[in-house]
């Protein structure tokens, strides 16, 4: 155990190793948090998208990014009937109810979208609702009237008639300052800050029907990571990408290096035709191009991340590393202690696993650590090609979506930078540690 | 005197025989290797024959669609229409020889692949409209060679030169900087490509975001070359940034190990000039690994990088292979892999001789002494 402890003591002298370790520990913590905070099944469900994300804006930038650049972009504002003032008037046949939803809007940019969600409970006759928009200085803009089904979604921002009346898309027109009398002189109108009201006047035809309203004024920024084109919170993918990337990198690296080492040792120990077969298999395997085969497997069979992992490991078993390990193991085979082990009757399996493999394990550790980012990036590469696991959120998939939606062209830089930064950190963390380990454990470098 | 001359002759004859035997063995081994590699690819690219079933379904639907869409067949009774469909399917099946068991066809594929009869593509065609796999591959080859050749040659020569200089200034600030930057190579070129596109194509629009030449391509050859150069800049930079530091780092380590050999110390003790030590005592014995990596790099550039080409929309072999896989166009996939395998085998073969020429130690070993 002492050479290990000595190695770690030496490692402490390298600041890059410590920085790398720090990054890895942070990533591990993030992975642990992701797995605990969002269970696997939830992550899949959330990433499938759809109704779950109805109250998030499309393509919103991270909030901190906007604040950092001194912006005053609005987040998403939600007002429900529960915080509304309700007035009821009873008539002969009908009951008229008036709720006022209040939106305090003190931002410098217009919202991106406005939706009103209505849920009514009734038995026979649908209630009837009239909508009225009241600006801070008391101007009233009618938004139309309609019968309400059990659950209704009214896209105010997509109301063409309203847009024509306002002379601008509703999410701008409803929050704009009154146009100057000289007509359009300055281009974009300014935002009028203040407290807006949406008055819902409902006509109920039954004695105890109710109506639940929820007004969502979608912002332009959201949370820590922003959202994508399907309103999904990118934070889910960024968080869950961590355990997926780490697990894939670690398993692939362990799987390939350990199997390769053991096979190399077996070949060296038995010599003869076993060694020859292993060498030939390695040469065949070197001819096979890894990435195209992975793409083939992904396109033709399935894009499950675990299948990909299996193929990576299977193709990695007879990798070029065998030749290197073989060269290292050949002198060990002739070492006196192997002869001694044989003399007291150790079996071949025991000699390979207990006497030969452990001897070069320390040399393997740096290679193994530097291999991890290679596989993390391999997974991301496959995802960027559109061969990512369809149900799991990963960094590569976020990059792929961004690429497919021309995020850079539209200026949604955050969409690319978030996952890219995390990939970079992972790569740097493991590489920094690996390089330092190499200098500590590699006997040829030690004397330099 | 006659004795020694005949001895020399016999010696030469023996050497030649030995050489012939060595070459023969090596060629046979490489041939078997390529054979196995290509056959494996054929199996994978056909999903062990499952692609045929997909193709059969495709043929059936296509035939049914054709008969249904053609107004000339509308009045036919349904039995006759069925027969017509069946005969259409039969024709197509026979044309593609899908009625034979896959295992037979796979050997047929293998034979044709090995004699480089790459056949005709099923879905894809070259820009000039040719269906021959050979034409499709040859058309994409220059683009890949241009991009990866430029970048890899640049990385190779810059890194070997820089490493040689750095290994002489071991421990300096510059040396430590390069070592410190080496971990940045953990990220592949496409990753840097995304950032370069972001910075130099969108935020500061100096370079195009992708493609190989402007659309429409300029008529004037100089303008054409300038346009290609402009499109080349970002992907080459991406590859250069991704590889240069690790490359310098590994060559530097390599040279350092060589420079600490006794004979180098000896030469230094004799007071030989640095230049001579570098060229004769460090570079010369290190030549065979350098050549190896150079040749392997040349091979690697042929294979291209699927993703870098995808990210930069570069019309090379990587993009071709990706499209071929997407179209399940087996002949194109196999054609690419076959050529790749042959090139690799040829390189390995060549390397054996280069080693022997460069390094007397290998020759002695090869002689079986």
């Amino acid at each position: 155990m002492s050479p290990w402890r000595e190695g770690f003591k030496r490692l402490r002298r390298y600041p890059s190793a410590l920085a790398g370790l720090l990054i890895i520990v942070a990533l591990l913590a993030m992975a642990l948090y992701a797995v605990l905070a969002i269970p696997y099944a939830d992550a899949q469900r959330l990433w499938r998208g759809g109704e779950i994300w109805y109250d998030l804006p499309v393509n919103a930038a991270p909030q901190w990014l906007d604040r950092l650049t001194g912006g005053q972009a609005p987040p998403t504002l939600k007002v429900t009937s529960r915080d509304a003032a309700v007035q009821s008037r009873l008539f002969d046949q009908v009951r008229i109810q008036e709720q006022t939803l209040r939106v305090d809007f003190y931002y410098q940019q217009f919202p991106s979208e406005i939706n009103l969600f209505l849920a009514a409970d009734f038995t026979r006759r649908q209630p009837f609702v009239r909508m009225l928009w009241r600006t801070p200085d008391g101007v009233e803009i009618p938004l139309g009237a309609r019968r309400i089904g059990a659950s209704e979604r009214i896209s105010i921002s997509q109301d063409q008639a309203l847009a024509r009346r306002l002379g601008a898309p509703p999410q701008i027109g409803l929050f704009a300052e009154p146009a100057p009398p000289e007509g359009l002189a300055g281009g974009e109108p300014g935002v009028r800050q203040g407290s807006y009201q949406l008055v819902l006047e409902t006509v109920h035809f039954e004695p105890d029907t109710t109506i639940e309203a929820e007004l969502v004024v979608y912002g332009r920024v959201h949370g820590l990571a922003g959202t994508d084109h399907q309103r999904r919170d990118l934070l889910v993918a960024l968080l869950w990408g961590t355990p997926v990337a780490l697990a894939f990198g670690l398993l692939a690296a362990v799987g390939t290096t350990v199997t390769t080492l053991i096979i190399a040792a077996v070949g060296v120990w038995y010599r003869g035709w076993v060694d020859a077969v292993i060498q030939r298999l390695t040469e065949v395997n070197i001819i096979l191009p890894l990435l195209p085969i992975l793409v083939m497997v992904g396109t033709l069979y399935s894009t499950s991340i675990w299948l990909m992992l299996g193929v990576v490991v299977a193709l990695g078993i007879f990798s070029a590393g065998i030749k290197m390990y073989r060269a290292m193991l050949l002198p060990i085979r002739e070492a006196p202690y192997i002869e001694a082990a044989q003399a007291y009757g150790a079996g071949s399996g025991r000699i390979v696993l207990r006497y030969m493999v452990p001897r070069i394990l320390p040399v393997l550790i740096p290679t193994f650590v530097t291999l991890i980012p290679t596989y993390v990036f391999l997974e991301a590469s496959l995802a960027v090609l559109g061969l990512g696991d369809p149900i799991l959120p990963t960094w590569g998939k976020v990059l792929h979506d961004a690429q497919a939606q021309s995020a850079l062209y539209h200026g949604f830089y955050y969409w690319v930078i978030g996952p890219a930064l995390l990939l970079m950190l992972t790569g740097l963390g493991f590489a920094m540690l690996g390089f330092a380990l190499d200098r500590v454990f590699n006997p040829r470098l030690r004397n330099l | 005197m006659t004795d020694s001359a005949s001895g020399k002759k016999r010696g030469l004859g023996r050497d030649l025989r030995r050489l012939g035997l060595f070459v023969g063995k090596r060629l046979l081994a490489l041939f078997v290797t390529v054979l196995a590699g290509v056959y494996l690819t054929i199996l994978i690219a056909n999903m062990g024959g499952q692609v045929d079933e997909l193709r059969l379904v495709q043929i059936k639907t296509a035939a049914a669609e054709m008969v249904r869409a053609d107004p000339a067949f509308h009045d036919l009774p349904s039995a006759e229409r069925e027969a017509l469909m069946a005969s259409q399917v039969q024709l197509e099946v026979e044309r593609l020889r899908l009625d034979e068991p896959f295992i037979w066809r796979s050997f047929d594929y293998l034979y044709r692949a090995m004699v480089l009869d790459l056949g005709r593509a099923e879905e894809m065609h070259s820009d000039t409209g040719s269906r021959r796999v050979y034409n499709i591959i040859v058309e994409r080859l220059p683009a890949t060679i241009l991009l990866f050749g430029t970048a890899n040659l640049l990385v190779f020569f810059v890194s070997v030169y820089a490493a040689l200089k750095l290994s002489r200034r071991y421990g300096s600030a510059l040396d430590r900087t390069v070592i410190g930057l080496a971990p940045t190579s953990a990220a592949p070129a496409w990753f840097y490509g995304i950032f370069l596109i972001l910075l130099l194509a969108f935020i500061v629009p100096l370079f195009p975001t992708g493609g190989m030449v402007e659309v429409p391509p300029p008529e004037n050859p100089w303008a054409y070359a300038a346009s290609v150069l402009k499109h080349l800049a970002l992907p080459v930079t991406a590859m250069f940034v991704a590889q240069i530091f690790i490359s310098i780092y590994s060559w530097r380590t390599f040279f350092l190990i060589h420079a600490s050999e006794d004979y180098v110390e000896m030469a230094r003790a004799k007071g030989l000039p640095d230049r001579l030590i570098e060229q004769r005592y460090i570079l010369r014995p290190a030549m065979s690994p350098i050549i190896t990596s150079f040749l392997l790099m040349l091979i690697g550039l042929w294979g291209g990088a699927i993703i870098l080409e995808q990210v930069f929309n570069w019309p090379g072999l990587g993009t071709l292979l990706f499209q071929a896989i997407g179209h399940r166009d087996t002949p194109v996939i196999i054609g690419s892999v076959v050529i790749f395998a042959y090139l690799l085998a040829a390189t390995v073969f060549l390397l054996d001789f280069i080693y022997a020429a460069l390094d007397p130690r290998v020759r002695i070993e090869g002689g079986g002494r």
Side-chain angles (χ1 to χ4, degrees):
Chain A
M1 226 50 222
S2 80
W4 293 84
R5 193 167 299 159
E6 197 200 312
F8 283 113
K9 214 180 261 171
R10 288 170 60 101
L11 195 65
R12 279 221 304 261
R13 293 212 302 265
Y14 292 95
S16 68
L18 292 184
L21 258 178
L22 213 66
I23 293 175
I24 294 169
V25 167
L27 285 169
L28 281 175
M30 193 166 152
L32 200 67
Y33 172 77
V35 176
L36 292 179
I38 314 167
Y40 187 67
D42 275 357
Q44 289 185 4
R45 193 169 46 84
L46 288 172
W47 197 240
R48 210 174 297 136
E51 279 298 301
I52 304 176
W53 300 111
Y54 79 95
D55 56 352
L56 293 192
V58 175
N59 288 332
Q63 199 159 8
W64 55 268
L65 193 71
D66 177 64
R67 296 294 178 269
L68 211 64
T69 51
Q72 273 283 311
T76 300
L77 304 172
K78 243 176 15 171
V79 201
T80 63
S81 299
R82 258 165 280 137
D83 6 273
V86 184
Q87 287 180 339
S88 250
R89 276 172 292 159
L90 214 58
F91 288 92
D92 208 7
Q93 289 285 314
V94 298
R95 181 165 55 93
I96 295 181
Q97 194 184 47
E98 196 181 277
Q99 355 183 331
T100 309
L101 302 173
R102 229 181 70 152
V103 184
D104 292 324
F105 199 82
Y106 294 98
Y107 304 95
Q108 276 158 7
Q109 281 181 45
F110 291 105
S112 59
E113 203 182 342
I114 308 170
N115 277 341
L116 179 63
F117 296 89
L118 294 173
D121 86 274
F122 57 90
T123 42
R124 282 171 296 105
R125 277 193 74 179
Q126 297 175 324
F128 184 84
V129 71
R130 188 180 297 129
M131 297 164 286
L132 190 74
W133 187 253
R134 196 176 286 148
T135 64
D137 36 353
V139 180
E140 295 196 336
I141 305 169
L143 299 183
R146 61 162 78 192
R147 285 189 184 285
I148 305 298
S151 144
E152 199 93 13
R153 167 194 161 141
I154 302 170
S155 299
I156 297 175
S157 49
Q158 276 162 28
D159 188 336
Q160 295 298 323
L162 182 63
R164 263 196 304 281
R165 224 163 354 117
L166 292 168
Q171 70 271 27
I172 292 176
L174 291 179
F175 287 93
E177 278 178 338
E182 296 298 305
L184 276 172
E188 272 250 318
V191 181
R192 174 168 38 191
Q193 302 183 348
S195 183
Y196 290 83
Q197 288 175 346
L198 176 70
V199 183
L200 295 173
E201 203 181 50
T202 327
V203 183
H204 291 281
F205 300 100
E206 290 169 23
D208 41 36
T209 55
T210 54
I211 190 155
E212 287 283 333
E214 183 180 30
L215 175 70
V216 184
V217 179
Y218 295 93
R220 295 196 175 268
V221 292
H222 175 81
L224 281 175
T227 62
D228 67 2
H229 61 303
Q230 294 185 32
R231 301 181 191 274
R232 294 179 296 198
D233 190 341
L234 287 176
L235 195 60
V236 174
L238 293 189
L239 274 179
W240 251 92
T242 324
V244 174
L246 292 185
F248 189 88
L250 208 70
L251 287 176
V254 171
T256 52
T257 41
V258 171
T259 48
T260 305
L261 176 58
I262 290 177
I263 285 180
V266 166
V268 166
W269 177 246
Y270 285 100
R271 287 194 271 208
W273 65 270
V274 179
D275 195 30
V277 166
I278 291 173
Q279 294 305 310
R280 294 297 91 73
L281 275 176
T282 308
E283 277 153 22
V284 169
N285 199 33
I286 291 172
I287 282 187
L288 297 176
L290 173 67
L291 195 58
I293 286 193
L294 278 178
V295 174
M296 262 191 251
V297 169
T299 325
L300 302 176
Y301 296 82
S302 124
T303 46
S304 156
I305 199 168
W306 308 119
L307 177 73
M308 292 287 179
L309 183 65
V311 175
V312 167
V313 173
L315 287 175
I317 290 175
F318 289 101
S319 65
I322 279 194
K323 303 246 172 199
M324 191 178 83
Y325 301 147
R326 184 166 173 271
M328 288 187 211
L329 284 164
L330 275 174
I332 291 177
R333 187 188 196 287
E334 308 301 332
Y337 78 98
I338 300 263
E339 217 171 309
Q342 235 179 331
Y344 80 67
S348 293
R350 189 176 165 84
I351 288 179
V352 167
L353 289 177
R354 301 294 300 273
Y355 291 83
M356 289 173 72
V357 170
R359 267 298 283 273
I360 62 165
L361 263 184
V363 185
L364 209 69
I365 288 179
T367 341
F368 156 73
V369 173
T370 24
L371 259 182
I372 294 177
T374 316
Y375 288 117
V376 170
F377 273 102
L378 181 69
E379 192 271 324
S381 307
L382 288 171
V384 168
L385 282 177
L387 297 170
D389 194 304
I391 50 174
L392 265 185
T394 66
W395 298 330
K397 285 210 74 163
V398 176
L399 281 178
H400 172 69
D401 288 348
Q403 197 85 342
Q405 300 290 323
S406 319
L408 293 182
Y409 179 75
H410 292 294
F412 305 139
Y413 302 136
Y414 65 93
W415 199 352
V416 175
I417 290 176
L421 217 60
L422 283 168
L423 272 170
M424 189 80 232
L425 267 182
T426 315
L428 271 184
F430 283 103
M432 272 151 74
L433 181 65
F435 275 74
L437 281 171
D438 201 24
R439 268 173 275 163
V440 173
F441 281 113
N442 198 332
R444 296 205 74 175
L445 293 175
R446 196 175 289 170
N447 303 326
L448 292 177
Chain B
M1 199 169 151
T2 42
D3 228 33
S4 81
S6 71
K8 226 178 224 169
K9 211 177 256 172
R10 220 184 304 134
L12 188 70
R14 197 191 55 205
D15 277 358
L16 277 179
R17 225 182 17 255
R18 204 177 264 168
L19 186 71
L21 200 68
F22 172 72
V23 169
K25 264 189 184 165
R26 211 53 206 140
L27 275 179
L28 190 71
L30 284 171
F31 177 74
V32 173
T33 311
V34 170
L35 203 71
V38 170
Y39 191 66
L40 266 178
T41 316
I42 290 173
L43 285 186
I44 299 172
N46 285 291
M47 300 167 72
Q50 262 179 290
V51 162
D52 290 355
E53 276 154 42
L54 289 179
R55 209 166 286 147
L56 207 61
V57 173
Q58 233 169 26
I59 291 170
K60 277 183 185 154
T61 34
E65 203 55 42
M66 195 214 72
V67 171
R68 213 170 290 138
D70 196 333
F73 300 131
H74 269 264
D75 304 330
L76 287 180
S78 65
E80 255 177 79
R81 275 212 299 206
E82 296 273 308
L84 194 68
M85 274 182 217
S87 77
Q88 286 283 350
V89 170
Q90 189 58 32
L91 271 180
E92 192 66 15
V93 162
E94 270 170 32
R95 187 177 78 79
L96 294 171
R97 303 176 49 205
L98 288 179
D99 46 349
E100 291 170 32
F102 171 73
I103 201 81
W104 286 121
R105 264 175 322 113
S106 72
F107 288 125
D108 188 47
Y109 268 143
L110 182 63
Y111 171 73
R112 279 189 299 159
M114 294 305 284
V115 298
L116 283 181
D117 171 14
L118 301 180
R120 297 166 67 80
E122 275 157 15
E123 304 280 337
M124 308 177 69
H125 50 78
S126 72
D127 289 347
T128 50
S130 170
R131 279 275 191 176
R132 291 189 51 209
V133 172
Y134 176 81
N135 290 351
I136 297 177
I137 291 180
V138 163
E139 192 184 66
R140 301 293 190 100
L141 200 54
T144 293
I145 289 182
L146 179 67
L147 170 56
F148 290 85
T150 316
N152 282 332
L153 288 178
L154 214 60
V155 168
F156 182 81
F157 287 114
V158 170
S159 63
V160 169
Y161 181 78
L164 202 57
K165 294 293 157 208
L166 272 189
S167 69
R168 312 281 304 124
R169 250 181 278 158
Y170 165 67
S172 67
L174 193 67
D175 184 49
R176 291 222 300 275
T177 314
V178 170
I179 297 178
L181 283 173
T184 56
S185 298
W190 65 263
F191 186 79
Y192 291 103
I194 289 182
F195 281 103
L196 285 174
I197 293 178
L198 175 65
L199 279 176
L200 294 178
F202 285 111
I203 296 182
V204 188
L206 290 176
F207 292 99
T209 56
M212 188 174 145
V213 71
E214 278 164 42
V215 183
E219 297 276 334
N220 180 346
W222 289 110
Y224 189 93
S227 170
V228 169
L229 223 58
K230 214 174 162 188
H231 284 76
L232 201 61
L234 285 191
V236 166
T237 314
M239 284 188 69
F240 190 77
V241 170
Q243 290 169 19
I244 189 70
F245 294 113
I246 185 80
S247 204
I248 294 179
Y249 173 84
S250 56
W251 283 123
R252 164 197 164 276
T253 313
F254 180 80
F255 286 137
L256 276 178
I257 288 169
H258 269 271
S260 59
E261 300 275 353
D262 291 343
Y263 58 82
V264 183
E265 301 289 341
M266 177 74 180
R268 209 166 282 152
K270 277 198 290 186
L272 291 180
D274 275 359
R275 236 186 124 70
L276 202 69
I277 295 179
E278 256 175 36
Q279 284 175 0
R280 193 171 296 164
Y281 291 82
I282 300 179
L283 218 46
R284 178 78 207 272
M287 216 53 205
S288 48
I290 293 180
I291 300 270
T292 311
S293 79
F294 182 75
L295 280 183
L296 287 179
M297 178 211 86
L298 286 185
I299 287 300
L301 75 92
W302 194 90
I306 295 187
I307 308 171
L308 189 74
E309 289 192 2
Q310 285 289 110
V311 166
F312 281 99
N313 208 3
W314 191 263
L317 285 168
T319 313
L320 174 77
L321 199 55
F322 186 64
Q323 286 167 346
I325 293 168
H327 283 121
R328 290 167 175 56
D329 203 331
T330 327
V332 179
I333 302 174
I334 294 172
S336 313
V337 174
V338 169
I339 291 182
F340 182 75
Y342 265 122
L343 277 174
L344 203 61
T347 315
V348 172
F349 186 67
L350 203 63
L351 278 176
D352 283 335
F353 288 94
I354 293 177
Y355 283 158
L358 284 174
D359 197 338
R361 284 171 297 184
V362 177
R363 221 169 342 185
I364 290 166
E365 229 169 274
R369 221 181 273 176

